[in-house]
Amino acid sequence: VRVLWTRHSSYLVPVPSNVLRLSLRMEEQQLVNLELLCQQLYESTDVNTRNEAEKALMGFTESPDSLPQCQIVLERSQSPYALLLAASTLTKLVTCSTSNLSLHDRLQLRNYCLQYLGNRLRLAPFVTQALVQLVARITKHGWFDLDKKFVFRDILDEVGKFLRGSVDHCVIGVQLLHQVVMEMNIAESMKSLAKHRKVATSFRDECLFDLFNLSLSLLRQINVADKSQLTLISWLIKLACACLSFDFIGTSTDESADDLTTVQIPTLWRSSFLRSNTTQLFFDLFHSLPSEQAAMCITFLIQMASVRRSLFTNTERHNFLSQIVKGVRSILETPQELSDPQCYHEFCRLLMRLKSNYQLGELMKVEDYPQLVELVAKLTVSSLQSWQFSANSIHYLLGFWRRLVASVPYITSGDSHLLNTYVPEITKAYVNSRLDSVELTIRDNMENQLEDSVMVAQQLDQLAVIGRCEYSKTCQLLLNVFDQTAASFQDLLLQGPTQELAIRECQLSWLVYIIGSVLGGKASYSEGDDYDVLDGQLVCRVLQLMALTDTHLPQHGSEFLDLAFLYFFEQFRIVYIGDVIQRTSQVYQTLSKQLGLNDESMILNLFITKIVTNLKYWSSNRTITLKTLQLFNDLAVGYSSVRKLVRLESVQFILEHHTPENFPFLSITHSVMDPKCRTSFYSAISRLLLVELGEDEERFERFISPLTVCVQHLETMMTAKQAVNQDEIKRTLISLCRDLRGIVLAFNGKICYMMIFEWIYPRFTTIMLEALGIWFHDPQVTTPLFKLMAELVVNRSQRLQFDVTSPNGVLLFREASKTIACYGERILAINDIPPHQLYNMKLKGISLCFNMLKAALSGNYVNFGVFRLYNDDALDKALKTFVKLLISIPLKSLLDYPKISQAYYGLLEVLTQDHMDFISSLEPEVFIYILSSISEGLSALVPIVCTGCCCTLDHILTYLFKKLTKSKAASTTSSMSPSHSTPFLRIVELRPDILQQMLSSLMNIVMFENCRHQWSMSRPLLGLILLNEEYFQELRERYVQMQPPEKQPAMAVCFGNLMNSIERNLLPRNRDNFTKNLSVFRRDINSSLKDLTLVPTVPSGNNAEMMV
């Protein structure tokens, strides 16, 4: 083969002769076309143009000659977008598990990219980043590639050439190191989590500490006054942060939960953290650098403050904390340095992380603690007053104070924490700032903060604890402000809607929210009756305001205010309504004196009145309707409160008059057609009905009569000869399904379930089946219909215990079977479903059918042998439809959508447990598909999927083991060899590699991964070993031989102990013994491999591809 060599300084990049031909074919015009397509892809604002460009470029990115073509583009193109496409394509090529790139190819490609970066320092930033990522990806995937030495571990030496060059070269070098650290910390680029953790662990132990020290050393040497080196400083700080943000122990923490993160620094790193100059270095850099780099310094300090406590002794921890507090104080004393929003935000995060990792008692022992608390209090008050500047940072400041206040009960009474001095000022500043912000937002037509429900909820959670510090001062403040604002509101209410009225409404909304918050804070404190009196006064103010606003609802209402009332009611319910609440609370005494509300029943009546009022006047507001129904549901759950509710006239009215005339949101033409509304409402009133229903069928008929009328109307429309409004039929059907599902959800007793079942079957089930045949393609119809049927067949609380003379169990399963078969037959006839509609139009309905079939098969209310005995094909139809639906789903789609994967694996577990005869009779391609899906599911991160696959595989192996055992026993007593009649047994005989692959995968998981489901995996593992004894011995020898010579005897002993006292059967006792042995085996293996850096032999490619 002729080879053209392109010389690049110290690197020689081989270009085969076919590349030369390609380069000749890629004429200048073709390159121009490629550049134009790239420009359209990345710059065009037209969606169709971008889609067309993407399709056209697919041929380039997926070409078998993509490697040489990308090199040609990198050499000849001047378009940054074309260069980005080439770099991205190469990264995809390197990452792909089916790529045929050799070790030599990847090494040459890495060297080429390094030389390319070194020669072209003026590339567009995104091109440089793409090439840097390519180098990092090659390094990670080749970390354990061996050719006399680990060839890709010399990346530090290669990058060292950049660090010895110009400033621009140093920037590229540090950027490369930063990207390598980031790449090593990301698991997504590798299919095997075990290999990722091995690579990350090896990199952590060999390189990470050196990189961390390198970044610190260069930062100490650099001249911060030199503006030309700011970019280099930025990348050095990023590198140091990346080192501290590394997932040291494989916990994969949630980055959004930044208040709970602990940096698990290895003990060997202690020296860098005991030196005070490390912390002081970044505080000095913060004071010296521009705001962008200063913010990065604080980000680094956040990680420093999060270092695990056990890294230090008590004295060392005190000294380390003193250094950080001293530095924080120095920043607080020069607040002008926090004028940049990003610096300010990061500093607020630092404060909260400081308290998250250290106790209040430890902070109080620091010399600078009094000054720290005083300065942070001033900062907090100033921030609250300047709420526009610090809107996103207030959460962290409030979190800091919340944690301080929550720690007060653990402080000795003699110690002075100073919180009683400063916290009331913060509470006052928060209240006043919320009221002041309202006027500005409304007058200047700005975004109202009350519209951000997430932000409001977060702040109220913090305030619930903060407000309880010096609670008497908090209550007095709220009472004074509330009385003044409410009086002004009452006067303005008589004048009609004005801007001033809107301001007072929003201010009162904030006050009601805050009152509800501090009221809910009582749940965390055990306080005396004096505070209950204060709570009672606050509650009276809110209830009086609600009575005033409700009288004006027909003319004028405030969404913000009514949402605040609902929040207040929820907090009051949690604290003062329930089975364990003392009825002698001073709150009730105060309510009795001022409002005449003498007991809990009267309070509950007030709740229900407000709920009915909201559902009547706010039915067009989705948010208020949902929150109102949520409160209604919460009230309908308590044992004692629900019995008091049933006695109320308002509740009896709801039970007998749940019609669109009284509750407009129940109308099929209403604008709020949220499925949660109807189902939630009927679930709540059904629970109330059950309290006194018993066997009273007449009362049930009165309750269900509004729905009976709807069914009659629906029957009339569907049987009418003349043309009817199809949309009206659909809306009526959807509404009925949602309403009935709410009722069935609540009817968990045998007697009440029979009432609703006899009402639904056969009248409404016939309508459902007919509608499914018409609108099978419409998920708006099929989803509520399937959910209702799935709920009907669920044997919750053993409610489906039919009498011995009743055929209802068989009839119910027949209806489920008809539903599944009807849908399956029609949906499979639809071809060419657009990819973006695949889930809604097909996969969602299939997942609901799987859930329905699982519930029906596992309910234990049907003897399925009866169907075959009497030639009833209901069971066969359901199972065959399941198979047809299953094979119509690509395996990738099955795993990509969590809902359908969980439904499928749950159903498969039931089928393999009770219907293995059916599974064993499936066609070979179907059975291989199922085994492939099980193999993929064994390594799933979702626990229910992984454990379900283990159980499923265990059922299959147990069935197979029994069949083969009987077959062998029969062959010893007969001269004729037994015939394996089932396709299942023939597949196992012809394709033993399927089970062998699973055995290898499970052994890798147990030995080398963080096996969270060890017990579940032990069950199928024993069956796999017994069915593949020879292969297990080969696997055993392979694992032993891959260890260093000094480790091999220990590994052999571990495997010997694994099968110690294990018999050749799958009886429960033998399984338990193997589970115990496996636990010891895993512990010993982990101990033996602690110092190893070798990776287990992981088969290339995915398991599904190897089985097909």
Side-chain angles (χ1 to χ4, degrees), residues 229-243:
Q229 298 192 23
L230 283 179
T231 304
L232 177 58
I233 293 174
S234 298
W235 281 109
L236 285 171
I237 298 173
K238 288 180 181 179
L239 174 59
C241 289
C243 291

Side-chain angles (χ1 to χ4, degrees), residues 696-732:
D696 191 346
E697 295 187 4
E698 292 184 4
R699 184 170 186 179
F700 172 76
E701 290 296 334
R702 291 198 302 273
F703 169 77
I704 205 73
S705 59
L707 301 186
T708 305
V709 173
C710 288
V711 172
Q712 293 172 348
H713 179 58
L714 183 61
E715 287 177 328
T716 303
M717 289 190 294
M718 295 188 71
T719 57
K721 300 298 183 181
Q722 66 275 19
V724 295
N725 190 339
Q726 294 293 312
D727 288 340
E728 183 180 357
I729 297 177
K730 286 171 60 175
R731 287 196 299 267
T732 303

Side-chain angles (χ1 to χ4, degrees), residues 264-306:
Q264 301 291 343
I265 294 294
T267 305
L268 294 175
W269 292 37
R270 287 181 76 248
S271 57
S272 292
F273 293 87
L274 294 179
R275 293 195 296 265
S276 60
N277 59 355
T278 301
T279 306
Q280 191 59 43
L281 168 66
F282 282 87
F283 279 115
D284 293 341
L285 287 172
F286 171 82
H287 293 294
S288 305
L289 293 171
S291 57
E292 181 181 355
Q293 288 75 24
M296 296 179 187
C297 291
I298 302 182
T299 303
F300 176 86
L301 290 168
I302 291 172
Q303 296 301 108
M304 288 284 286
S306 306

Side-chain angles (χ1 to χ4, degrees), residues 243-432:
C243 291
L244 287 190
S245 303
F246 199 81
D247 188 5
F248 291 96
I249 60 175
T251 53
S252 301
T253 55
D254 182 7
E255 294 180 359
S256 63
D258 53 3
D259 58 330
L260 300 175
T261 302
T262 300
V263 180
Q264 301 291 343
I265 294 294
T267 305
L268 294 175
W269 292 37
R270 287 181 76 248
S271 57
S272 292
F273 293 87
L274 294 179
R275 293 195 296 265
S276 60
N277 59 355
T278 301
T279 306
Q280 191 59 43
L281 168 66
F282 282 87
F283 279 115
D284 293 341
L285 287 172
F286 171 82
H287 293 294
S288 305
L289 293 171
S291 57
E292 181 181 355
Q293 288 75 24
M296 296 179 187
C297 291
I298 302 182
T299 303
F300 176 86
L301 290 168
I302 291 172
Q303 296 301 108
M304 288 284 286
S306 306
V307 170
R308 61 182 175 94
R309 295 165 50 83
S310 56
L311 187 68
F312 310 106
T313 64
N314 289 338
T315 303
E316 292 169 346
R317 190 183 308 115
H318 173 77
N319 294 335
F320 182 71
L321 178 59
S322 297
Q323 296 165 14
I324 296 178
V325 171
K326 182 180 178 180
V328 170
R329 177 187 171 186
S330 68
I331 295 176
L332 288 168
E333 288 174 342
T334 55
Q336 64 273 11
E337 295 179 341
L338 297 176
S339 58
D340 179 73
Q342 188 61 29
C343 282
Y344 176 81
H345 182 75
E346 292 299 304
F347 183 74
C348 292
R349 289 184 60 222
L350 173 60
L351 289 174
M352 188 163 116
R353 189 70 68 85
L354 190 64
K355 178 58 194 74
S356 300
N357 206 31
Y358 294 94
Q359 302 169 4
L360 176 58
E362 293 174 322
L363 288 169
M364 291 169 59
K365 293 178 182 179
V366 175
E367 183 180 355
D368 294 322
Y369 173 76
Q371 295 83 359
L372 174 71
V373 175
E374 180 183 2
L375 291 170
V376 175
K378 290 181 180 178
L379 176 69
T380 305
V381 172
S382 174
S383 300
L384 291 170
Q385 292 171 349
S386 307
W387 55 270
Q388 292 171 285
F389 173 79
S390 58
N392 294 326
S393 306
I394 290 176
H395 165 74
Y396 297 103
L397 287 174
L398 293 178
F400 171 79
W401 290 105
R402 175 188 177 275
R403 290 177 179 275
L404 286 179
V405 173
S407 302
V408 169
Y410 306 101
I411 300 300
T412 307
S413 58
D415 296 335
S416 177
H417 48 68
L418 302 176
L419 296 182
N420 293 337
T421 303
Y422 299 110
V423 171
E425 297 179 7
I426 293 167
T427 304
K428 181 179 179 180
Y430 181 82
V431 174
N432 291 333

